[in-house]
Amino acid sequence: MEDTTELLCPENDTMNPALTMTTQVSAILVLSHVFQIFLKPLGQPAPLAQILAGFVLGPSGLSRSPAIHVFFFQNFAVDFYESMALYCRISIMFLMGLEMDIPYLMRNIRPASIIACGGCLMCSLFAAAISFFVYEETGSRGSRFTLALVITVILANTASPIVFRLAADLKFATSDIGRLAISSSLIGDMYAVFILVIISGEKHKRTVNGWALMAFCSLLLLVGIIIFTTHLVNWLNRRNRNHKNLQAVEVMLICSVVLVAAMTFETMGFSSLIACFLMGSMFPRGGKSARTLLAILTYTVHNFIFPIYFGYTGFKADTSYLNELKRVAIVLMVIVLSIGGKIFGTLAACKYLKTPLNEGVLLAVLMNMKGHVDILTLTTAMQNKVLTSSIFYNLMVSAVVISSVISAALIGFLVRRESDTIGIKHIPMEYHRPDKELKLLACVHSRHPVNTMVRLIVSLRGSDNVPISPYLMHLIELPEKIKKTSASYEQLKDDESSDDEEYNYNKNDVVEINEAVDIFIEETNMMIHQVQTVSPFKSMYEDVCDFADDIRASFIVLPFHKHQRIDGKFEKDKDGIRTTNQKVLRNAQCSVAILVDRGHTTTGTQAAGSESLQQIATLFFGGPDDREALGFSKRLSTHHHTSLTIVRFLPTSAKDPNVGIDVSQKEDNVLVAIDNESEVEEADSSALANFYHRYVTSGKVRFVEKYVENGVQTGMILRDMAETYSMFVVGKGGRGDSLLTTGISDWEECPELGVVGDFLASSEFDISGSVLVVQQHR
């Protein structure tokens, strides 16, 4: 009878751990959104709101109430909370590996390591200095060495997921300082995980040889899982070649492999954090598997897992233990030494690397974000009975949470204050060094220009694999519904049929675009980041410009609003495409080019691996746009399958040696005579002289001068060149009313291409090569 009463008792329903956890998660999500409403106008990041939400809901806030405390803090619910945190960590670290810019990390492993080591070393020294004092004052029992290791993790650890989320939320994740901060935080996490493994070893009591054997087995297991996952993903990509995404069952299969592998590492006594990150970073980037996983995980992690994980960090803090001045002093000491150690260590590293002071301060505060491995270390030490002092545990958790809240608020303030430093630093292609990273945004509305865009990206990479971060944005129109109250059923039915046809058309385009990009990635081992935007044409330019700003793009390539048919004639696309191009040209914060694709290019596969020599001509008439086209051509000249020719047009009067610019070579020096008539001519002469000295004298580029009297002669020369080159690069304009181009054609159909570009793109002009019209940002 007693058992039956207990089963029917309503209290047992409220003590269901699943119900408790669901209620907690829901409350954290709601509270974090409420806090975000008030904090976002102040420029504060989302993680701050999420940590505060957990803090308010936990024993430091609402859970002080006995009824709420009994509901949330049940002994048998602790395992559910820790399991939830483990699954969150696995998802977060795997996604970080998927999104991590590994080429950047490899190129900058030295500065990232120096910055991480500077902060970790200083904090480790501080931890060693205070560990004896904290051990005595908190009444701890057990190994002093283990407690010192725990304090080292608390002071030295940088929570890479929080840094990753902060950088994304404050829109500087793609900047150099953002990527450097994320890379450094990952290295700091590795240091903390190494100490965590040592602390975990206190429970297993393995010998040194036993640990070495287990570590070797774990390494073999990790390598085996990565190889197995690679083959599995490649098979799934081939299996779904004609589909847009993977099926749900296939996604679950991949996630199950990652989850089982992570749990295996945990069972062996090793943290799965680094293993999950490595599995994500080594995951094949090309193909539908990576594309599908990124879409699903990004949405899930950013909207649900991050708020829950950060909220759970704040939820664990219990400030009720701060009821004595001595304990408050210990927490303040840990916070001050944590922040101070990171600042001194990071600034010392930045001074060694000659990093500006304002960037060094921002990096130092970012490196002080807590709430990841440090919380895990404290929990592990308590669960393994390595540490038994609940006072020490709660004081350290409070210090971690308070330190993270202070740092997050400081970061929001610093980013807002230093927006010019970490914001868009546009460097025109005219001054862009070809060995520096180029961030390129290529846009397409349909499948037609994709192969040419891909081929252009290959050429820009060069033969030396110079850094390039290309993005391909698929622009999809969101039709504006015309609502009519008097619409008949037949009209509505026709509208629905039209919408279905439009949907199927866009779906086919998506599949073909993805397939072309997948082939390209497979052939070149070069990653193209794919994004989609769905919006009406009237606001589509805002999406393009905003995304270019977010990724710090140096160059935007837009498709022409016409595409070439099989018979060679141009067919006009939707008017909204042309309007979008014109608005991007006016509003973009970087240089913009319009690509007129004449379909001369080979397929994506041939573009990537063909040994044929591509003939490209850059036409130079003068002006900022032509100088930008010349700077863009520097990248093209570095590819071993590209033959670049600079064709400079000059007035016939320039044959006089005392007029214009004379570029000649004498003992490897370039002698330049500059005409001082205007600043534009001076800038043109300087740009040409520098280009000539670096590329023409070395034999990489051909240089030709054409003397003409008017635009008619210019048009005749261009017609003679039509069949020689596969692509023409020319500036839009900015050269004023030049005699070289006046009268080149009877009318100007597309002013956004400029006079020369419009002439080359006209249907009447018999040319087999594509045209790239460049406009410099001014």
Side-chain angles (χ1 to χ4, degrees):
M1 184 68 182
E2 185 179 59
D3 294 340
T4 306
T5 304
E6 289 181 359
L7 288 173
L8 296 176
C9 180
E11 289 186 0
N12 289 326
D13 293 334
T14 61
M15 294 303 174
N16 187 326
L19 176 62
T20 301
M21 188 169 63
T22 303
T23 306
Q24 180 195 28
V25 167
S26 302
I28 287 175
L29 290 174
V30 172
L31 281 175
S32 64
H33 282 292
V34 171
F35 279 114
Q36 186 65 5
I37 292 173
F38 294 101
L39 292 176
K40 191 171 184 180
L42 301 176
Q44 295 301 326
L48 176 59
Q50 291 151 8
I51 294 174
L52 285 176
F55 187 79
V56 169
L57 188 65
S60 301
L62 296 177
S63 292
R64 285 181 180 271
S65 169
I68 298 177
H69 189 277
V70 169
F71 181 76
F72 282 134
F73 291 89
Q74 307 155 29
N75 293 331
F76 53 84
V78 173
D79 292 337
F80 281 81
Y81 291 154
E82 294 305 323
S83 298
M84 178 189 69
L86 174 60
Y87 297 142
C88 289
R89 285 193 294 268
I90 292 172
S91 304
I92 291 170
M93 296 307 294
F94 183 73
L95 177 62
M96 286 186 63
L98 272 178
E99 292 191 336
M100 186 64 193
D101 190 347
I102 300 300
Y104 177 87
L105 177 60
M106 299 308 296
R107 291 195 307 269
N108 295 273
I109 189 68
R110 177 178 173 271
S113 300
I114 291 174
I115 289 173
C117 291
C120 290
L121 178 61
M122 187 65 68
C123 289
S124 298
L125 294 176
F126 286 163
I130 67 170
S131 59
F132 179 79
F133 171 77
V134 174
Y135 184 90
E136 295 295 333
E137 295 300 324
T138 57
S140 299
R141 297 292 182 268
S143 171
R144 296 175 183 268
F145 176 70
T146 302
L147 184 135
L149 291 178
V150 172
I151 296 178
T152 300
V153 172
I154 292 170
L155 296 185
N157 176 56
T158 300
S160 56
I162 301 185
V163 174
F164 176 76
R165 186 69 180 94
L166 278 171
D169 195 61
L170 296 174
K171 296 186 182 300
F172 67 95
T174 56
S175 65
D176 288 340
I177 187 173
R179 291 184 293 176
L180 183 60
I182 294 172
S183 302
S184 300
S185 66
L186 282 167
I187 296 173
D189 259 349
M190 292 181 185
Y191 173 72
V193 168
F194 175 75
I195 298 178
L196 173 60
V197 171
I198 297 176
I199 295 172
S200 301
E202 295 290 325
K203 176 184 177 181
H204 297 280
K205 301 298 181 182
R206 295 193 184 110
T207 62
V208 176
N209 292 335
W211 271 113
L213 178 62
M214 191 60 68
F216 179 73
C217 292
S218 300
L219 181 61
L220 285 181
L221 176 62
L222 178 60
V223 173
I225 291 170
I226 291 174
I227 295 174
F228 172 76
T229 305
T230 301
H231 288 288
L232 175 63
V233 167
N234 291 335
W235 176 73
L236 290 175
N237 288 340
R238 292 192 299 269
R239 187 171 182 266
N240 295 274
R241 186 171 292 276
N242 296 322
H243 295 84
K244 182 179 177 181
N245 292 309
L246 296 186
Q247 300 176 12
V249 176
E250 295 167 334
V251 174
M252 291 300 297
L253 176 61
I254 296 175
C255 293
S256 299
V257 171
V258 175
L259 182 61
V260 170
M263 298 305 295
T264 303
F265 285 113
E266 294 285 342
T267 305
M268 296 173 68
F270 294 96
S271 175
S272 61
L273 295 176
I274 303 302
C276 289
F277 173 78
L278 291 175
M279 283 189 284
S281 61
M282 300 300 291
F283 196 89
R285 300 299 179 92
K288 296 169 179 61
S289 298
R291 193 179 301 114
T292 305
L293 274 179
L294 266 177
I296 294 174
L297 285 178
T298 300
Y299 179 82
T300 305
V301 170
H302 284 264
N303 290 281
F304 297 102
I305 294 180
F306 268 142
I308 294 170
Y309 187 68
F310 298 153
Y312 182 63
T313 300
F315 184 82
K316 300 193 73 166
D318 188 355
T319 55
S320 63
Y321 281 81
L322 301 178
N323 53 4
E324 298 179 11
L325 183 61
K326 178 177 63 176
R327 296 178 181 179
V328 173
I330 291 174
V331 170
L332 289 177
M333 179 179 63
V334 171
I335 293 173
V336 170
L337 291 180
S338 175
I339 297 176
K342 288 293 184 181
I343 290 178
F344 288 131
T346 305
L347 288 181
C350 289
K351 184 176 182 180
Y352 174 76
L353 295 171
K354 298 180 180 179
T355 303
L357 179 61
N358 53 354
E359 294 185 7
V361 172
L362 179 59
L363 279 171
V365 181
L366 279 167
M367 291 300 100
N368 192 58
M369 291 307 304
K370 310 292 183 185
H372 185 42
V373 182
D374 37 24
I375 296 290
L376 177 61
T377 302
L378 283 166
T379 304
T380 302
M382 290 294 290
Q383 289 178 343
N384 294 348
K385 308 298 182 182
V386 177
L387 294 176
T388 57
S389 174
S390 60
I391 296 175
F392 172 79
Y393 174 85
N394 285 284
L395 292 183
M396 293 302 104
V397 170
S398 298
V400 165
V401 173
I402 295 172
S403 178
S404 295
V405 169
I406 294 172
S407 298
L410 280 174
I411 290 167
F413 169 75
L414 290 173
V415 170
R416 192 167 64 253
R417 193 190 70 175
E418 302 293 339
S419 57
D420 294 337
T421 302
I422 64 174
I424 303 166
K425 295 181 181 178
H426 173 64
I427 301 177
M429 296 300 296
E430 178 184 356
Y431 307 109
H432 198 285
R433 289 173 52 186
D435 58 338
K436 292 295 183 181
E437 182 184 24
L438 172 65
K439 293 182 180 178
L440 175 77
L441 174 61
C443 301
V444 294
H445 292 270
S446 64
R447 63 187 181 276
H448 299 296
V450 173
N451 287 331
T452 305
M453 291 285 189
V454 167
R455 180 174 181 163
L456 182 64
I457 292 171
V458 174
S459 300
L460 290 171
R461 183 177 65 168
S463 57
D464 299 328
N465 293 331
V466 292
I468 179 172
S469 297
Y471 292 80
L472 184 70
M473 174 178 271
H474 185 192
L475 307 176
I476 302 175
E477 179 194 8
L478 178 65
E480 297 184 10
K481 300 288 184 180
I482 301 178
K483 298 182 179 180
K484 296 183 179 178
T485 56
S486 60
S488 64
Y489 172 77
E490 286 76 13
Q491 288 174 322
L492 292 173
K493 187 175 179 180
D494 291 340
D495 289 342
E496 291 175 1
S497 175
S498 175
D499 290 344
D500 291 340
E501 291 177 4
E502 185 74 18
Y503 170 77
N504 291 330
Y505 177 76
N506 286 331
K507 183 178 179 181
N508 292 334
D509 269 355
V510 170
V511 173
E512 294 191 30
I513 291 171
N514 291 345
E515 185 65 23
V517 173
D518 292 344
I519 293 174
F520 162 78
I521 294 175
E522 183 179 351
E523 292 291 329
T524 62
N525 293 322
M526 177 182 172
M527 185 61 191
I528 290 185
H529 307 277
Q530 287 182 260
V531 290
Q532 284 185 356
T533 181
V534 183
S535 60
F537 276 130
K538 67 178 183 181
S539 61
M540 189 174 286
Y541 78 98
E542 296 177 353
D543 293 339
V544 175
C545 295
D546 290 344
F547 185 76
D549 292 347
D550 289 345
I551 65 171
R552 271 71 177 175
S554 303
F555 208 80
I556 301 175
V557 182
L558 301 171
F560 192 43
H561 65 275
K562 299 179 181 179
H563 69 271
Q564 194 176 40
R565 300 187 311 221
I566 298 177
D567 60 3
K569 299 296 183 180
F570 273 115
E571 180 178 341
K572 188 176 181 180
D573 293 321
K574 296 180 179 179
D575 292 334
I577 297 177
R578 182 179 185 183
T579 304
T580 299
N581 290 350
Q582 293 170 341
K583 290 181 178 179
V584 172
L585 285 168
R586 289 196 298 266
N587 295 280
Q589 298 298 308
C590 63
S591 298
V592 183
I594 294 180
L595 176 64
V596 182
D597 178 23
R598 277 202 162 83
H600 76 284
T601 56
T602 53
T603 63
T605 307
Q606 290 171 318
S610 174
E611 295 296 328
S612 61
L613 193 65
Q614 306 300 323
Q615 300 287 344
I616 299 178
T618 299
L619 311 178
F620 192 92
F621 295 88
D625 291 343
D626 280 349
R627 293 198 302 271
E628 191 72 358
L630 187 69
F632 185 81
S633 301
K634 296 176 186 177
R635 303 279 301 207
L636 297 175
S637 66
T638 59
H639 198 280
H640 57 281
H641 289 161
T642 298
S643 176
L644 178 66
T645 302
I646 305 298
V647 183
R648 190 191 186 198
F649 288 83
L650 291 165
T652 306
S653 59
K655 288 184 178 181
D656 186 347
N658 296 320
V659 180
I661 171 175
D662 177 30
V663 184
S664 58
Q665 181 182 3
K666 182 179 179 182
E667 296 180 358
D668 297 330
N669 292 323
V670 179
L671 304 179
V672 183
I674 300 178
D675 185 359
N676 294 319
E677 289 183 0
S678 68
E679 292 182 2
V680 173
E681 291 182 0
E682 182 179 349
D684 291 344
S685 300
S686 176
L688 277 171
N690 292 332
F691 187 93
Y692 191 97
H693 176 65
R694 183 167 184 176
Y695 298 98
V696 179
T697 58
S698 62
K700 295 180 181 179
V701 179
R702 295 178 61 240
F703 186 88
V704 179
E705 290 182 340
K706 299 289 185 180
Y707 295 91
V708 295
E709 292 184 356
N710 50 46
V712 176
Q713 291 187 5
T714 300
M716 294 174 60
I717 292 176
L718 292 177
R719 292 181 189 274
D720 293 339
M721 298 166 55
E723 298 300 325
T724 305
Y725 299 99
S726 59
M727 177 175 283
F728 292 87
V729 183
V730 64
K732 173 188 172 184
R735 58 185 75 93
D737 295 330
S738 173
L739 292 174
L740 304 176
T741 58
T742 302
I744 194 172
S745 61
D746 295 332
W747 68 87
E748 191 175 16
E749 182 181 0
C750 303
E752 66 269 21
L753 298 181
V755 177
V756 180
D758 182 66
F759 176 70
L760 294 173
S762 61
S763 300
E764 290 73 18
F765 187 61
D766 187 15
I767 180 176
S768 61
S770 296
V771 182
L772 188 71
V773 182
V774 180
Q775 173 186 278
Q776 186 182 70
H777 171 64
R778 290 185 285 277

